[in-house]
């Protein structure tokens, strides 16, 4: 079985029961001119994940292993957006890439470099966590999933929420430091430390080259 050099301990996974999860790599979070940047954020802290993640996805796909993508967003009529989230502004308003975080809009979709292939599930989620109000749990069951390799943005928001949800559901989660990003370097550092602290309180942390090396060694 592939074994990855990880914190706080090596992470071993079976390729038959491990899914690569790619969280919210959407234009509105990642690209200059998008929603994230309009809030004053430095999107380069997120866009640096695109290159290593595209390399990892290629290695994962080369072995016909499953990838699941998520997107945060809402119906055009905002019926699935809690008033409390709406009240904080942005959602549904006109941005430079269309209505912000509305399904079907250009900014809501995934960046060109990481577009899903036909057959790879794309989970549209209204919240930060990928399990809340989605069919992710059913899809993971169908794949026979036991472990998740987690990537995407942002580290302390949608990645953390999803990893915490997954951990409580019994999935072992390996989070890849070079393939997750926060607008805030301090949150990136502490967010990753939180996961692996206390003996891996809700997961493991490694870098993507270690996963690729582990995949290649087990061939
Ligand atoms: N995907 C995700 O993390 N959504 C966010 O709202 N992130 C922020 O950091 N705002």
């Amino acid at each position: 079985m592939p074994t990855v050099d990880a914190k706080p301990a090596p992470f071993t996974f079976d390729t038959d029961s491990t899914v690569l999860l790619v969280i919210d790599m959407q234009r509105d979070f990642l690209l200059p001119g998008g929603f994230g940047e309009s809030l004053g954020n430095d999107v380069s802290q997120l866009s640096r994940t695109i290159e290593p993640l595209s390399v990892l996805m290629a290695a994962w796909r080369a072995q016909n292993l499953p990838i699941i993508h998520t997107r945060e967003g809402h119906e055009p009529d905002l019926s699935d957006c809690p008033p409390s989230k709406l009240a904080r502004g942005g959602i549904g308003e006109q941005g430079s890439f269309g209505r912000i975080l509305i399904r079907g809009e250009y900014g809501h979709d995934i960046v060109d470099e990481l577009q899903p292939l036909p057959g790879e599930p794309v989970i549209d989620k209204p919240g930060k966590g990928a399990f809340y109000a989605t069919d992710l749990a059913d899809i993971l069951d169908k794949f026979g999933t036991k472990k998740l390799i987690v990537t995407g943005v942002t580290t302390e928001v949608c990645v953390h929420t999803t990893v915490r949800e997954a951990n409580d559901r019994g999935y072992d989660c390996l989070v890849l430091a070079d393939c997750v990003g926060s607008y805030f370097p301090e949150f990136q550092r502490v967010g990753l430390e939180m996961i692996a602290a206390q003996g891996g309180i809700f997961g493991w942390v490694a870098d993507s080259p270690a996963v690729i090396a582990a995949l290649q060694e087990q061939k």
Side-chain angles (χ1 to χ4, degrees), residues 60 71 95 97 105 136 153 164 166 175 186 188 195 217:
W60 201 256
R71 298 182 295 203
F97 298 150
E105 300 287 341
L136 177 59
V153 299
R164 289 164 190 255
V175 178
E186 185 69 358
Q188 171 78 0
I195 294 166
E217 276 163 22

Side-chain angles (χ1 to χ4, degrees), residues 160 187-198 201 205:
H160 250 230
F187 293 175
Q188 171 78 0
R189 182 181 67 75
V190 176
L192 292 170
E193 281 183 11
M194 283 180 182
I195 294 166
Q198 303 179 71
I201 190 75
V205 176

Side-chain angles (χ1 to χ4, degrees), residues 60-129:
W60 201 256
R61 285 169 174 153
Q63 302 212 15
N64 291 314
L65 302 178
I67 300 179
I68 298 177
H69 309 257
T70 73
R71 298 182 295 203
E72 179 179 350
H74 299 278
E75 301 287 355
D77 66 1
L78 297 168
S79 57
D80 59 351
C81 186
S84 60
K85 185 175 182 182
L86 211 48
R88 273 169 266 169
I91 312 292
E93 292 170 14
Q94 198 64 39
S96 48
F97 298 150
R99 290 181 69 205
I100 291 166
L101 295 191
I102 298 299
R103 294 177 194 149
E105 300 287 341
Y106 179 78
H108 169 265
D109 202 7
I110 292 166
V111 295
D112 294 344
E113 297 90 331
L114 306 177
Q115 277 286 314
L117 290 185
E120 291 177 353
V122 179
I123 306 285
D124 279 317
K125 63 186 181 65
K128 305 306 183 194

